[in-house]
Amino acid sequence: MFKLFTMFSVRDWILIVIAIIFIVGGVYLDLIVPEYFGTVTNMVIDGTGSSGEIWLNGLWMLLFSLGSMASAIVVAWIGAVVAASHAARVRRRIFGRVGEFSTAEMKKFSVASLITRSTNDVTQVQMFTVLAIQILVRAPIIAIWAIIKMLDVSAELSIVAAVAVVALVTLIAVLIVIVMPRFNKIQTLTDRLNQVSRENLTGLRVVRAYNASEYEQEKFECANTNLAKTNLVVNRAFGIFWPFMMLLLSGLSVAIYWVGSWMFTTGRETDPEFFGAMTEFSNYATQVIFAFMMLIMVLALLPRSLVSGKRIMEVLNTNPSVAANEDSTFCGNLKSNDITFENVSFRYPGAEESVLSSVNLKIPAGKTVAFIGGTGSGKSTLVNLLPRIYDATDGRITIGDVCVRDMALSDLNDVVGYIPQTATIFNGTIRSNVAFGETGEREDGSERLVREVSDEDVEIALRTAQAWEFVSKLEKGIDSEVSQSGKNLSGGQKQRLAIARVMVRRPKIYIFDDTFSALDYNTDRKLRTALKKETKGATVLIVAQRIGTIKDADIIYVLDKGQIVGSGTHDQLMKNNEVYKEIALSQLSKEELA
């Protein structure tokens, strides 16, 4: 976790130094008050002080206390500013790093865990930072300074305070041993609770459709109960600890006066001013105990903060498996759109067998190429290697004469337009979703166009994607609101918006990864007809399960068990490839295929 503190800015360090100066000043004011208190006590006992002198000393005590309070306010303000800005900086780095992750890293951490790490874990570190600035510096200073003054007042009474400190340290050690392992467990259980909640809310319609509400409730109760039980153990440990602390504090005051009275009655101490010194010593001892109590407040958060810091650093220290090539010399000028796969193999992380084995193929520029095969044959995996959703385990993939690994990811993404199996729609408007690839966002949240996308561009893209029919009927047209994840749209509507989004970009290569599965046959046919016109000159890759979707492709590749077992046109494959013929006859009759 302490590596996170290297992220403090120069401004933060300056503020921390200022806070330390105010802390030292506040401690000095706190520790000078007992001296005046002892003086007033001796004045009262001896009767040597006038009323005016007593009031004057009391006034100084009040002024010093007010000065200490002002110092504490300044330190608290600095702590809040530094902690908040540091937390914002850490969250920004986590978000940036997660944005670089490939699918492999997302699966490794899980979405629920990444949300917890960027919110709850950062909050734990922020709370610790606030207390560390206010207390972690102040407590040792006040404890050491007070102990020095205690020794100066009475060495014998210091033994009593030393016993109390040893008892206190023992209690702290026991507390840490009890709570430290459980704080790690709390964060893991929080991940689990977030995951269960997210799954339930995301799949609410499925849960209801299958009458699985009771089952989901049990899952939630199990995760919630486990988290509650672990929290109870920690809170009970602290609940038992605080009464012991107060008992120790009260017992110390009693012990000081008891030992002091014993010293006076036995003649070990005969100075009349000893009563004032004893009162002064008692105040210093209380300051020491309170300093340790403040340290405990920090230590109460330290174990959980250490766990949170470790989890945050796990994200920040994880290098994406699909790394961006920062030294790329590619400037976006390709000699051609030819795509070549040379001995390409791929194995998912942790898997025993390869999904693809020694795949070799060349896709000519400007052609429409389709991939078909049974479930698990590797067709989606194959096209996912081109935009580097994953990197090939072995082999080489080139566009023109440039290897995709030698291209910056931003350049590769400009060349390739990818529409995945599941459409992702963002909260906003129809316009913002269609123009998503050409827009950014200002700091105030308003849209910022990278390239001007006109209403005409949006309309053309929507017409090509066969989405204009339903968009034009909406009250606000392309400015109609879209809810989070497109909850107010059907599956087919979301899919068509996703297609329109890539059409606006006009990439050189289009990848439709089973994109037409949510569309009815009539819309599928109209869409493919429109795509031929709008993607003229571009290379189009289509992954599909339906024969009707790929019948008219220039080249069809048939995959089986991670290998290409046939290629050609529809008619050629019907004559020469049994795998393709079997798939085709399972969907359409011979008359329909003819």
Side-chain angles (χ1 to χ4, degrees), residues 95 100 113 124-125 163 214 252 264 277 330 340 343 365-366 373 389 407 435 480 496 515 520 525:
F95 187 82
E100 298 172 355
S113 179
Q124 295 300 325
V125 174
V163 172
E214 188 174 334
L252 177 60
F264 199 80
F330 173 72
T340 306
N343 296 316
I389 305 299
M407 299 170 67
S480 298
R496 281 177 277 175
T515 309
D520 59 79
R525 180 180 55 79

Side-chain angles (χ1 to χ4, degrees), residues 162 323 489 537 556:
L489 300 173
I556 301 173

